[in-house]
Amino acid sequence: MRRCISNFAHSSLLKITTSSLILGGFLAACSVENGESMNSIDLSNTPQNAASTQHLVQGKPVVYQVFTRLFGNKNTTNKPWGTIAENGVGKFSDFTDSALLGIKALGVSHIWYTGVPHHALIGDYTEFGINNDDPDVVKGRAGSPYSVKDYYSVNPDLADNPAKRVEEFEALIARTHQQGMKVIIDIVPNHIARDYQSLGKPEGVRDFGADDDKTVEFSADNDFYYVVGQDFKVPKSDDGYSPLGGEKHPLADGLFNESPAKWTGNGSRAAQPSINDWYETVKVNYGVKPDGSYTFATLPEAYRFKNYQAHSEFWRNKKVPNSWLKFRDITQFWLAKGVDGFRYDMAEMVPVEFWSYLNSAIKMTNKDAFILAEVYNPKQYRNYIQLGKMDYLYDKVDFYDRLKDIMQGHGNTGDLANIQQRYSDIEQHLLHFLENHDEQRIASPDFAGSAEKAKPAMVVSALISRSPTMIYFGQEVGEDGSEETGFGDPTRTTIFDYAGVPAHQRWMNGGKFDGGQLTESEQTLRDFYQRLMTISAENNAMLGSYRSLHDNNRKALSTYNYQQFAFARWQAQEKLVVISNFDSENSYQYNLQLPSDLVNDWQLPTGEYPLIDLLYGSSNTLTVHRDNSATIKVDMLPLSSFVYQLQAVK
């Protein structure tokens, strides 16, 4: 939920600065400055890696993000601000065995069901005891999945019978497991809906804020921060925005009862936040004072490389804020129902110590739980992984951003090699993606304008490291996000309104999930993703070593330019050479160079070795010369890639 990122600097609350965090960044920087070679990476025998890759024994993870209410929707109306009756909505039950098998065919190990916890929305479910939400503090008609109003229940829109909505989600968990995949759901610790009210909470659980002292701005025992003496005021829009597109609604009156006002989710302390703030949410108090200082214990630097058991023991007898306990109980509730992991929204807006506390508690219950965090500050990557005990972080601000530049024609592939080197010690923890619900669709004019331009980028993104790869539903068939559906602008598939997703619906084929309505180009694209992600998920080399071939070839070859990118991956008997051409117009021919030290590592005597492209099956030859260097003669068509596998010589 990357909204108004510039607001990070708004509040001292958002500072994550302890001596241990600063020291960690300093040590990481020193290892590069002192000249340690990271061009050839093999961390498989290091103690840190042994602990951090235990959950990878089944192969390299592939995450498939689905926006749950859109996935199964067969309605093609797409009326702006359309109601659920007009535009339709997908259900848990739409994830049939056929649908799940279609997802699994992409090499998927984990499905991230986005938008499952019950969030604020405009729909009348009062017959089920659910209060109506106020459009003045709801974005869109279907509502933001990051404005959760009940963490112990699920979105009633997604159920065939809202009274049985939790049971229907439990059935989806079971179906997903039966097809050999695991389940991830969202947790949004930084903020919750302004009108949070849990109907599903277990006995003895108290709602957020139920026991707060509202006469003070801050108390270590409060769940929220308060603007004492002022009532909340609905933000005003200067551009003519009106809830529900201006439609009349009994609650859309520019008023919302909240007294005193609470701080807004992105840190705004105003009783009347800006229309550009996360005004539909309130910020959760994690024991961080308004001046940025902490009321809880900080982690000693020695815990940077300790395991989750040690972190759990550290917190065992320490007093922690009530909000920490609440989110511990929420995650334990869903683990007990079979959820296999969590994706954390805007994790860097919450102290690292809380993540140590929460994640160690999760791992004590399920050591294989999959923990993924949305983080946008590369300087904090190691802190959230090592001190916060995250399994994976978004690699957005560096790797994704540079890939996007290259796909748009103004980037340099050499940056990719530099980024891979920069994070060599944590590369297996940095999840790669080209699309998610926050980012523009690749095929949209504002991104690349063509889904075909994703092909070389996906090859590099999926195969360069030991990190998981994530695909956003519809990406594999070239969805362009062009629908104007209400709140927010096109280029991103809506997360706020009811809609159908056209290219994805053609793959759905009325619920058959067989691609029966796809165009030829869409079928070809999905076939490419299926082939590529199978390599990523199943090939042993993906968990092995990496060597960049870029700098050597850039210096040696006149026809290998900044739009070419090559690297090697290997483990034991599996050896791969990956080559991609990002140029959408020109072909290139060259003899790709493999340096002698790599040939030595691979123990290849002088001679010729057959190669097979794992993507489409073409053959080639690797020639090892007397000087122990090696070459592969390649003919790179526009937007082409090869994943050459070295064949055993009989």
Side-chain angles (χ1 to χ4, degrees):
M1 185 196 61
R2 190 168 46 86
R3 303 166 298 181
C4 304
I5 295 301
S6 61
N7 285 310
F8 279 3
H10 181 79
S11 171
S12 59
L13 264 181
L14 306 182
K15 297 176 182 176
I16 305 171
T17 54
T18 65
S19 59
S20 64
L21 302 190
I22 295 170
L23 178 61
F26 172 74
L27 290 174
C30 284
S31 67
V32 177
E33 292 174 1
N34 289 340
E36 296 180 13
S37 174
M38 298 186 190
N39 195 38
S40 182
I41 300 169
D42 186 353
L43 303 177
S44 56
N45 295 319
T46 63
Q48 177 192 352
N49 189 67
S52 64
T53 59
Q54 288 178 357
H55 54 284
L56 298 180
V57 294
Q58 298 302 314
K60 178 173 167 175
V62 175
V63 179
Y64 191 79
Q65 183 192 4
V66 293
F67 206 84
T68 313
R69 70 165 172 253
L70 302 180
F71 179 86
N73 185 16
K74 304 177 185 67
N75 189 309
T76 60
T77 304
N78 282 344
K79 175 184 174 182
W81 294 101
T83 66
I84 194 170
E86 292 168 326
N87 283 358
V89 69
K91 303 287 185 179
F92 292 134
S93 58
D94 290 317
F95 291 89
T96 62
D97 287 340
S98 295
L100 292 169
L101 285 170
I103 294 172
K104 188 177 182 180
L106 293 165
V108 172
S109 57
H110 295 74
I111 302 181
W112 166 17
Y113 290 105
T114 305
V116 167
H118 186 182
H119 58 77
L121 55 87
I122 307 304
D124 190 346
Y125 289 102
T126 52
E127 66 177 294
F128 303 100
I130 301 170
N131 64 301
N132 285 328
D133 292 304
D134 190 328
D136 291 307
V137 288
V138 176
K139 289 181 176 176
R141 187 182 293 275
S144 167
Y146 300 106
S147 181
V148 176
K149 66 176 289 180
D150 187 351
Y151 262 116
Y152 290 100
S153 189
V154 300
N155 182 354
D157 279 349
L158 304 177
D160 294 314
N161 178 1
K164 299 290 185 181
R165 56 193 182 276
V166 174
E167 292 89 335
E168 290 188 31
F169 180 56
E170 290 173 330
L172 175 56
I173 295 172
R175 289 197 303 278
T176 306
H177 288 167
Q178 288 165 5
Q179 296 301 338
M181 295 176 288
K182 296 186 177 182
V183 172
I184 302 169
I185 65 170
D186 292 282
I187 297 291
V188 192
N190 178 66
H191 50 272
I192 60 175
R194 285 207 175 267
D195 195 17
Y196 187 93
Q197 180 188 31
S198 177
L199 300 179
K201 60 183 180 290
E203 185 176 353
V205 172
R206 300 281 289 169
D207 274 350
F208 286 93
D211 303 311
D212 279 7
D213 177 0
K214 299 179 182 180
T215 66
V216 296
E217 179 184 33
F218 169 84
S219 167
D221 296 323
N222 280 356
D223 292 327
F224 302 125
Y225 302 88
Y226 293 92
V227 187
V228 179
Q230 298 185 56
D231 295 341
F232 173 78
K233 294 182 180 180
V234 173
K236 300 295 184 183
S237 173
D238 295 329
D239 60 4
Y241 167 76
S242 297
L244 305 182
E247 175 188 314
K248 289 185 178 181
H249 186 282
L251 295 177
D253 54 6
L255 301 173
F256 180 75
N257 183 24
E258 181 181 290
S259 184
K262 304 179 182 75
W263 286 18
T264 294
N266 62 303
S268 171
R269 308 181 186 192
Q272 184 175 32
S274 163
I275 194 70
N276 295 315
D277 288 326
W278 304 348
Y279 62 84
E280 79 279 24
T281 66
V282 292
K283 186 168 182 64
V284 176
N285 172 7
Y286 280 87
V288 182
K289 297 178 182 179
D291 65 5
S293 60
Y294 294 168
T295 62
F296 48 83
T298 56
L299 276 170
E301 173 61 20
Y303 278 78
R304 181 171 292 277
F305 297 115
K306 290 184 181 292
N307 59 25
Y308 66 83
Q309 293 94 334
H311 280 246
S312 176
E313 180 63 23
F314 176 84
W315 295 109
R316 188 163 63 92
N317 294 317
K318 291 182 172 61
K319 177 176 172 54
V320 297
N322 290 331
S323 58
W324 295 29
L325 301 173
K326 284 182 167 64
F327 276 104
R328 180 203 61 189
D329 292 346
I330 287 164
T331 51
Q332 292 294 320
F333 174 85
W334 290 110
L335 289 171
K337 290 189 177 298
V339 167
D340 303 290
F342 305 99
R343 180 268 187 188
Y344 298 137
D345 184 81
M346 297 308 294
E348 60 197 303
M349 297 182 78
V350 177
V352 166
E353 281 79 1
F354 165 73
W355 295 120
S356 164
Y357 170 84
L358 182 68
N359 291 336
S360 62
I362 289 170
K363 292 290 188 178
M364 291 297 289
T365 299
N366 178 1
K367 66 181 178 62
D368 296 317
F370 187 101
I371 297 175
L372 167 65
E374 178 188 30
V375 172
Y376 295 112
N377 184 355
K379 293 181 180 179
Q380 295 293 344
Y381 282 176
R382 291 174 180 84
N383 296 324
Y384 283 96
I385 294 165
Q386 297 163 354
L387 292 171
K389 310 314 292 179
M390 300 291 189
D391 290 329
Y392 306 108
L393 309 179
Y394 279 23
D395 196 359
K396 191 273 175 195
V397 171
D398 269 341
F399 204 79
Y400 165 89
D401 283 347
R402 298 293 75 74
L403 275 172
K404 186 173 184 178
D405 289 342
I406 296 164
M407 294 165 68
Q408 292 177 331
H410 52 79
N412 188 327
T413 52
D415 292 339
L416 304 177
N418 295 335
I419 292 167
Q420 182 69 7
Q421 176 176 315
R422 188 181 309 143
Y423 302 117
S424 60
D425 59 321
I426 56 170
E427 52 92 26
Q428 72 271 29
H429 298 286
L430 300 179
L431 175 132
H432 286 179
F433 61 87
L434 290 184
E435 284 189 0
N436 63 45
H437 68 278
D438 278 322
E439 306 301 339
Q440 295 169 323
R441 290 288 193 175
I442 296 163
S444 70
D446 288 6
F447 189 157
S450 167
E452 293 297 307
K453 291 186 178 180
K455 287 183 174 179
M458 275 305 303
V459 168
V460 174
S461 181
L463 304 185
I464 193 171
S465 74
R466 291 175 289 163
S467 67
T469 304
M470 184 169 74
I471 303 172
Y472 188 37
F473 87 111
Q475 175 184 344
E476 72 277 18
V477 289
E479 177 59 41
D480 65 5
S482 60
E483 292 70 43
E484 180 70 68
T485 52
F487 189 91
D489 296 321
T491 76
R492 296 171 178 84
T493 296
T494 181
I495 67 169
F496 302 110
D497 286 286
Y498 300 110
V501 183
H504 170 72
Q505 287 176 320
R506 290 192 286 275
W507 174 69
M508 286 172 55
N509 192 21
K512 295 179 182 178
F513 298 97
D514 61 3
Q517 297 178 30
L518 291 175
T519 66
E520 183 177 351
S521 62
E522 290 167 345
Q523 290 174 336
T524 300
L525 184 66
R526 181 177 164 88
D527 175 70
F528 163 79
Y529 273 92
Q530 186 168 323
R531 292 169 182 268
L532 173 63
M533 300 317 301
T534 298
I535 298 170
S536 179
E538 298 179 1
N539 194 283
N540 291 333
M542 292 301 100
L543 297 182
S545 301
Y546 159 85
R547 169 66 187 261
S548 172
L549 304 178
H550 182 76
D551 287 343
N552 288 351
N553 283 278
R554 187 75 179 92
K555 295 173 183 176
L557 304 175
S558 60
T559 52
Y560 182 103
N561 62 18
Y562 64 92
Q563 292 183 299
Q564 312 299 300
F565 194 69
F567 56 90
R569 299 296 312 275
W570 71 96
Q571 185 184 73
Q573 303 303 311
E574 188 71 39
K575 298 174 178 64
L576 304 180
V577 176
V578 181
I579 318 163
S580 287
N581 175 21
F582 285 83
D583 195 321
S584 61
E585 298 179 357
N586 299 305
S587 298
Y588 297 86
Q589 296 78 37
Y590 45 81
N591 289 322
L592 186 80
Q593 311 286 307
L594 275 67
S596 58
D597 56 348
L598 179 62
V599 174
N600 287 332
D601 286 345
W602 286 6
Q603 299 180 353
L604 300 179
T606 301
E608 294 188 339
Y609 297 83
L611 301 170
I612 295 294
D613 173 36
L614 297 183
L615 276 174
Y616 293 110
S618 64
S619 60
N620 206 333
T621 302
L622 182 149
T623 302
V624 177
H625 305 285
R626 291 183 178 180
D627 64 358
N628 230 25
S629 66
T631 56
I632 305 170
K633 185 177 181 179
V634 294
D635 188 349
M636 305 299 296
L637 297 175
L639 301 177
S640 65
S641 294
F642 293 107
V643 183
Y644 282 128
Q645 180 187 54
L646 187 70
Q647 303 297 293
V649 179
K650 297 181 181 179

